[in-house]
Amino acid sequence: MPHFHVNGTHIHYHVDGDDGPAVVLIHPPFLGGRIFNYVRNNLANDHRVVTIDVRGHGHSEPGNVKLTMPLIVEDIKQVMDNLEIDEAYICGYSMGSMPVLEALITHPDRFKGGILLSGTPEIRDRRNRRIMRAADLSSRLKAKEAIVVPLALGNADSRTTFHVLHKEGMSGNNVSFREYANVCLDYSCKSRLRAIASPLLLVCGEKDETFIKYAREMDELLAVSELYAIKGADHQLPTHVPDKVCFTIRQWIAKHEDLELADTYAEREALNMELIEQGIITENELAMR
């Protein structure tokens, strides 16, 4: 099981694929890198995929210092350094989008672009703030089961996936759970989104009304962004619709790796038609709803 000694602790990571652009995957609180199992296996066919367990989650040790957003970003950067990855695309799921945005703001030279799956720059809605506070309380009571089981059930597409997510979640550290939850509750970078020059891909589920709203807000503020929704999907994109997620990511990265790929109107329209055929709702279609 690969680990790097990073910033005073051992961070677990996993590398899949040898060739192609590097993609770093970041999970939200209470889960671990295995939430991306389907995504990393798919993308590894033509990308170098790095999955990282945030300290105190999955198989990463918690360390002896308080978990903060800058520390999460520094851990990511140090893992990239150890793997000799100078530049990468960075992808976050749900609240894992917050370290992604912070990384793009504070280390723009290390990241070619960002990918947010059901992402947000802040937790403003009552429902998700209540969930995070309840998780904070459960971690204080050392009741990990109360946090991990609902998340594993909600994200699982099968009994096997549930057991994988549950086992990994239960490996996490109560204090780190609480600290990551509070980091996300306190975090907001909405006012700094205009400072991000790197391109961003925003993907959400058609039924995920709260996070579609967050995505639309970000799309208006970001300098370079593309927004897509997946038909019939809700919040749990990496496990419920991984093939559609990967199709969208692969096409988007290809456009940025080869700028001539969507150089003309006809080419851009052809790429949009490919997305539509896969059940992806394009930004223009979303705007008409």
Side-chain angles (χ1 to χ4, degrees):
M1 189 174 295
H3 287 82
F4 281 133
H5 188 75
V6 174
N7 298 316
T9 193
H10 286 89
I11 299 295
H12 173 253
Y13 69 96
H14 201 280
V15 181
D16 296 273
D18 297 318
D19 300 318
V23 182
V24 178
L25 304 176
I26 308 299
H27 64 82
F30 322 126
L31 295 169
R34 289 188 177 181
I35 189 68
F36 292 112
N37 273 0
Y38 294 141
V39 171
R40 77 185 197 193
N41 289 336
N42 185 316
L43 289 180
N45 290 317
D46 46 14
H47 296 76
R48 188 182 184 195
V49 185
V50 182
T51 311
I52 299 173
D53 285 345
V54 172
R55 58 173 61 208
H57 290 68
H59 299 288
S60 287
E61 296 178 0
N64 297 317
V65 295
K66 185 177 181 180
L67 188 65
T68 65
M69 192 65 75
L71 182 58
I72 296 172
V73 173
E74 183 61 25
D75 287 345
I76 294 167
K77 189 169 73 72
Q78 291 292 327
V79 170
M80 289 172 61
D81 288 345
N82 277 286
L83 291 170
E84 299 182 345
I85 297 173
D86 294 327
E87 286 185 301
Y89 294 93
I90 183 168
C91 172
Y93 165 49
S94 192
M95 311 309 171
S97 60
M98 295 177 179
V100 167
L101 290 168
E102 187 67 17
L104 291 168
I105 292 168
T106 57
H107 295 86
D109 58 315
R110 301 301 303 272
F111 300 100
K112 295 181 177 182
I115 302 160
L116 308 186
L117 308 178
S118 307
T120 178
E122 61 187 11
I123 308 175
R124 194 173 62 246
D125 63 286
R126 292 181 180 179
R127 178 178 179 274
N128 282 289
R129 290 193 69 83
R130 185 169 62 248
I131 290 171
M132 296 295 277
R133 288 193 182 110
D136 170 76
L137 177 60
S138 296
S139 66
R140 290 178 187 276
L141 297 173
K142 299 182 180 180
K144 280 193 293 186
E145 197 83 19
I147 308 170
V148 173
V149 168
L151 276 175
L153 280 171
N155 282 279
D157 66 322
S158 67
R159 183 174 296 181
T160 299
T161 302
F162 168 77
H163 286 305
V164 168
L165 298 178
H166 178 260
K167 182 179 180 180
E168 186 175 55
M170 293 301 293
S171 298
N173 177 271
N174 276 303
V175 174
S176 298
F177 276 16
R178 182 168 71 250
E179 290 176 348
Y180 196 2
N182 285 320
V183 162
C184 292
L185 277 168
D186 295 339
Y187 184 77
S188 174
C189 69
K190 188 176 177 181
S191 63
R192 295 185 290 155
L193 290 178
R194 294 188 190 277
I196 300 176
S198 305
L200 272 99
L201 171 64
L202 312 174
V203 186
C204 48
E206 180 187 21
K207 297 180 179 179
D208 192 2
E209 294 181 6
T210 298
F211 283 81
I212 285 179
K213 183 177 179 180
Y214 286 138
R216 281 177 163 153
E217 290 175 355
M218 287 190 286
D219 194 39
E220 290 181 3
L221 293 171
L222 290 163
V224 184
S225 61
E226 294 182 35
L227 168 60
Y228 299 99
I230 297 179
K231 285 186 178 179
D234 208 318
H235 188 76
Q236 301 84 2
L237 301 182
T239 48
H240 288 188
V241 284
D243 291 344
K244 296 182 187 300
V245 165
C246 291
F247 186 91
T248 310
I249 292 173
R250 184 172 278 109
Q251 189 198 88
W252 181 79
I253 289 179
K255 286 190 295 186
H256 289 284
E257 290 293 301
D258 180 2
L259 297 179
E260 294 183 357
L261 185 62
D263 198 33
T264 67
Y265 177 80
E267 288 167 341
R268 290 193 295 273
E269 283 301 296
L271 291 171
N272 277 339
M273 284 305 301
E274 288 180 3
L275 289 165
I276 291 168
E277 289 170 3
Q278 291 292 322
I280 313 299
I281 303 169
T282 63
E283 190 166 351
N284 288 338
E285 187 180 346
L286 274 174
M288 293 186 290
R289 295 191 172 197

